[in-house]
């Protein structure tokens, strides 16, 4: 499957612990991730720090991994 991502889009890959919490609907966690990503000011490191600060409440009880990547188009090389 191919997904065409627009220039400048942020791709977020994460494990379920970032969006799941006991007693909380998973949709609440997803909405929180989307809200944080929509506030991205350009620097992925700052966005990642804010995600950790705002979404992980308390010490992790499970493995939590996430990665952020910015979509950039390369210009084709001409021989």
């Amino acid at each position: 499957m191919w997904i065409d991502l627009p220039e400048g889009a942020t791709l977020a890959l994460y494990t379920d612990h970032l969006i799941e919490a006991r007693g909380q609907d998973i949709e609440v966690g997803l909405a929180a991730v989307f809200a944080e990503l929509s506030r991205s000011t350009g620097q992925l490191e700052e966005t990642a720090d804010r995600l950790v600060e705002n979404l992980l409440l308390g010490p992790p009880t499970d493995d939590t991994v996430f990665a952020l990547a910015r979509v950039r188009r390369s210009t084709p090389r001409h021989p």
Side-chain angles (χ1 to χ4, degrees):
M1 174 195 303
W2 292 94
I3 299 173
D4 188 27
L5 298 172
E7 175 74 19
T10 301
L11 177 64
L13 305 170
Y14 49 86
T15 56
D16 61 345
H17 185 69
L18 187 66
I19 60 171
E20 286 185 327
R22 289 183 190 208
Q24 174 181 296
D25 184 22
I26 194 168
E27 295 299 322
V28 172
L30 284 171
V33 168
F34 294 145
E36 291 297 332
L37 291 174
S38 71
R39 286 186 280 236
S40 179
T41 59
Q43 296 296 325
L44 292 182
E45 187 173 353
E46 290 172 11
T47 301
D49 289 344
R50 196 174 60 247
L51 276 164
V52 168
E53 184 179 321
N54 293 336
L55 298 180
L56 291 179
L57 306 174
T61 58
D62 193 4
D63 293 341
T64 303
V65 177
F66 72 96
L68 300 176
R70 180 80 27 81
V71 175
R72 298 281 187 238
R73 303 279 184 236
S74 63
T75 56
R77 294 184 192 184
H78 297 286

